[in-house]
Each structure stands twice: as structure tokens, then as C-alpha cells.
Amino acid sequence: MTVRKCIVLLLCVLLSMSAVAQTDENTQPFYLWDTPYQQPEQTEADTGISLDSIFPPREIQAPLLRPSLFNHTTLPVTHDDLQQRAFTTAAPWLFAMLIILIALMFLYYNRNKLRIADLLKAAADHRAMDRLVRGNNLNTTRLVPMGLFVTVTLATSVYLMALTHNGITAWLVLAAALFTAYILRNLVARLLGNVFDDGDAVNSCVTSNYIYHMLLATVIAPLLLLQTYLPWGRETLFYIIASLTAVCLILRLFRALQLFLTFSKSRSFYLFFYLCTIEAVPILALLKWFLVQ
């Protein structure tokens, strides 16, 4: 490129720059204005694009109110506010309690070297019961947990049927009341045996009751899981557990009568009637309370 062409090109650039500098400010873009742009205040009417100018207005009908069918009838509305939805799932502490209960029962079997087959033999044969008591050293203190297991399982079944809305406090009170009544019943039975000089027969009956109750608790414990978590299990499993308890009661009474007739010294049948009364009173009291609830 020659020097003349460079000079001409430079002059053209300078002329174009001077022409741009002399243009009117009104033709410049808004972002190059010297003063900042101030948007005027907009009222609510001119904000944005009114859709009414594009789409036709849609008429909204007023809500249709109808009179209630229960007005001026014998079925008035008693709850016109929002009602809390019923909570039907089981509480978390129930699962933990059932697992702990089953674990304690397994530990009790393992600790005392008990087998279900031996308990079944002891429930039907007095000699097998004596061998079990002597061989496993099942004294009065070691028999008490059997009563605890059966009272806790029965209290849990009753709680699931009728007391779930009262929380864990109701379960604790019911279990404690049943266990206390169970211990008092055995103490009264042993006291009557000592008073009428039939301690051996009464002690055999009490030991037989413990064995039957341990078998009953062993059967009920797995059923409590079904009663807790099956949708249809509350009533059905409760009636099954109640039927098993009734069968166990009948078998225990026949077994107690057999032991009493075998080992009683005085043949005092009224003592057996006293024992039956002690058996029936707590059950009748619990049944009346359950029906009232």
C-alpha cells in the first residue's frame, strides 16, 4: 500500500468520526443518554398489558348455596368445625415393646433351659411337672416371670382393642393392674391352702397355672404382631386371643380339680370352690370393665 492510499484512508476515518460526533443526541440509543432514565410512576390501571383488551371477560357464577338436609330435623349438626383425621397406624413404642417382650421370653426359655415340649408334658402329667420343676430349679421366684408374660400379653391385646386412644399410660396402668391382681390371687390361694392344711395341693395347682400361662403367653405373643399391624386384625385377633384364653381357663380348672382330688388331704371341696372363685372374680371384673368401655 502506498503512502498516498494510507493518508486517504486516515482522512476518511477522521471525517466519519467527526460526523458521528455531530449527530443529534435524540438519535442515540437510550443507554447512551447523559442523564439516567427515570421511569414514571405507574398506577395499578396501566401496569403491564391488560388481558381484558385481548380476551373477553369470563363471567364467574356465584356459588350456589343449598339448605342443609339436617335443618329442622332430629339429626342436627353437632360438629360444624374441622375434625382431626383419625390416626390408625400403630404407635412406634408398640413395635419396640413387642420385640422386647418376645426377646425376654426367648431369654427366659434359654436361661431356664425350658422347651415347649416339656411344658406340654408338664401341663398334662403331674410327674412330668415335678421333674420339670426339680430339674430346672423352678422355684416360686423363677415362676413369677411366667405370670408377668401372660399379663403383659393380655393387657396388650385389650389395649389394642379398646384403649389405643389413651396412649402408653393406659397400657402401663392396665398391665400393672393385671400383674398385681395375678400375684394377689396366687398369694390368696397359697394362704387358703395353709389355712385348710392343703398346701401341697394348692401349690401344685398354682404351679400348673404358671405352666399353662407360659404356654398361653407363648402362643399369644406372635399373634399380637398380627393384631397390631393387620388392617383387619384388631377385632379378629382379639376374639381369637380371647377364645384361647377361655380354653386355657377351662383346661386349668379341670387340671386343678384333678390335682386337688389327687393330693388333697381333707377332700374339702369347698376349698376348690374358693379357688374357683379367686379365678373367676378378676376375669369377671375385667370383662365388666371392658364392656363398660
Side-chain angles (χ1 to χ4, degrees):
M1 182 180 292
T2 60
V3 178
R4 182 180 297 177
K5 291 182 179 181
C6 292
I7 293 173
V8 172
L9 181 61
L10 181 60
L11 290 176
C12 292
V13 172
L14 292 175
L15 290 176
S16 62
M17 292 178 61
S18 62
V20 171
Q22 293 178 1
T23 56
D24 189 5
E25 293 181 354
N26 293 329
T27 60
Q28 296 180 6
F30 67 92
Y31 53 83
L32 294 179
W33 290 354
D34 293 337
T35 57
Y37 175 73
Q38 295 182 356
Q39 186 176 2
E41 295 182 0
Q42 296 181 356
T43 60
E44 187 176 354
D46 57 1
T47 301
I49 300 175
S50 178
L51 298 179
D52 295 338
S53 61
I54 301 176
F55 302 104
R58 185 181 62 179
E59 296 181 359
I60 300 177
Q61 297 181 357
L64 182 61
L65 301 179
R66 298 182 183 274
S68 175
L69 298 176
F70 297 98
N71 290 338
H72 309 291
T73 62
T74 58
L75 298 174
V77 179
T78 56
H79 300 285
D80 55 354
D81 54 347
L82 296 177
Q83 299 296 315
Q84 187 177 4
R85 180 175 296 179
F87 186 72
T88 56
T89 57
W93 63 267
L94 272 174
F95 178 77
M97 184 273 299
L98 292 176
I99 295 300
I100 293 174
L101 176 63
I102 295 174
L104 290 177
M105 293 178 63
F106 177 79
L107 182 63
Y108 182 80
Y109 272 102
N110 191 20
R111 182 70 180 274
N112 295 282
K113 299 179 181 179
L114 293 175
R115 295 185 302 175
I116 297 179
D118 295 336
L119 291 177
L120 291 174
K121 293 178 181 179
D125 186 16
H126 180 263
R127 294 183 179 179
M129 184 178 69
D130 288 340
R131 288 195 301 268
L132 181 66
V133 172
R134 291 195 304 267
N136 299 86
N137 194 19
L138 295 178
N139 51 23
T140 304
T141 304
R142 292 191 175 186
L143 290 174
V144 170
M146 296 183 180
L148 178 62
F149 292 144
V150 72
T151 52
V152 170
T153 52
L154 292 178
T156 305
S157 181
V158 174
Y159 170 81
L160 291 173
M161 183 63 185
L163 299 175
T164 52
H165 58 281
N166 293 326
I168 190 174
T169 305
W171 176 79
L172 290 174
V173 172
L174 181 59
L178 289 180
F179 182 67
T180 303
Y182 187 89
I183 296 300
L184 291 177
R185 186 200 64 176
N186 290 339
L187 292 177
V188 172
R190 295 182 188 275
L191 178 62
L192 291 175
N194 294 329
V195 170
F196 291 96
D197 196 20
D198 277 331
D200 294 336
V202 173
N203 290 333
S204 298
C205 293
V206 172
T207 304
S208 176
N209 290 339
Y210 274 119
I211 292 174
Y212 274 96
H213 287 152
M214 189 62 192
L215 290 172
L216 179 63
T218 304
V219 175
I220 292 178
L223 296 179
L224 290 177
L225 292 172
L226 301 179
Q227 186 181 5
T228 304
Y229 294 104
L230 283 182
W232 49 267
R234 290 291 173 90
E235 294 186 2
T236 304
L237 270 299
F238 174 78
Y239 292 130
I240 292 175
I241 292 173
S243 301
L244 292 175
T245 306
V247 171
C248 181
L249 174 62
I250 295 172
L251 293 177
R252 285 194 300 107
L253 292 178
F254 278 106
R255 181 61 177 167
L257 179 61
Q258 181 183 4
L259 293 174
F260 187 81
L261 295 177
T262 304
F263 298 99
S264 178
K265 299 178 181 180
S266 59
R267 306 293 181 183
S268 301
F269 289 102
Y270 53 86
L271 177 58
F272 179 74
F273 295 150
Y274 291 157
L275 297 178
C276 292
T277 303
I278 296 173
E279 291 279 351
V281 168
I283 297 175
L284 294 176
L286 180 62
L287 181 61
K288 180 180 178 180
W289 173 82
F290 179 77
L291 294 176
V292 170
Q293 294 295 324

